[in-house]
Amino acid sequence: KTLEVTATAFNSVRYQTSPEPTLTAWGDTLEPGMKAIAVSRDLIDSGLTHMTRVYIEELGEEYIVRDKMAGRWRKKIDVYMGKNIDSAQNFGEQKVTISWKVKKDN
């Protein structure tokens, strides 16, 4: 499946996330250097579930869904950039094309 979404970036710092900035909504622990993304909750229904591998065309790399965003966001991903706040700010907000395989129920 392929989709164009809005992408931003985030860091594991309290003021951007929560009092436990390395703990995701799915219970994963993020560490700098991980290729991880958070997805808006509407994308979960499209098959972007926990641990789904997602290719981001504009970045030329594969990331793994490890977090979910607050309910107010739609068609959006957040790329994890460890504690490098400058990199996240330079990334800004952009349209990207993502691809993934939808997991089939057993």
Side-chain angles (χ1 to χ4, degrees):
K1 195 164 188 174
T2 300
L3 183 67
E4 183 180 78
V5 297
T6 300
T8 53
F10 76 106
N11 307 104
S12 48
V13 293
R14 287 176 190 240
Y15 75 89
Q16 288 183 20
T17 58
S18 70
E20 293 291 335
T22 60
L23 186 63
T24 73
W26 269 305
D28 293 350
T29 299
L30 296 175
E31 296 177 12
M34 291 177 98
K35 297 290 185 189
I37 61 171
V39 296
S40 57
R41 292 170 190 250
D42 61 319
L43 295 178
I44 295 169
D45 293 335
S46 298
L48 284 170
T49 58
H50 185 234
M51 300 304 288
T52 299
R53 294 181 178 277
V54 178
Y55 182 75
I56 303 174
E57 186 175 312
E58 289 74 7
L59 300 180
E61 293 186 282
E62 190 174 80
Y63 289 75
I64 296 177
V65 176
R66 294 191 179 265
D67 202 1
K68 47 189 164 182
M69 302 170 75
R72 67 182 179 271
W73 302 113
R74 297 285 177 266
K75 282 184 67 177
K76 186 172 181 182
I77 65 168
D78 224 358
V79 179
Y80 178 61
M81 296 202 172
K83 294 186 179 184
N84 192 331
I85 296 167
D86 288 339
S87 289
Q89 289 175 337
N90 288 336
F91 185 85
E93 180 177 295
Q94 52 188 286
K95 294 288 186 184
V96 298
T97 302
I98 59 173
S99 302
W100 72 98
K101 291 181 182 176
V102 177
K103 297 176 186 173
K104 295 185 181 190
D105 294 333
N106 293 334

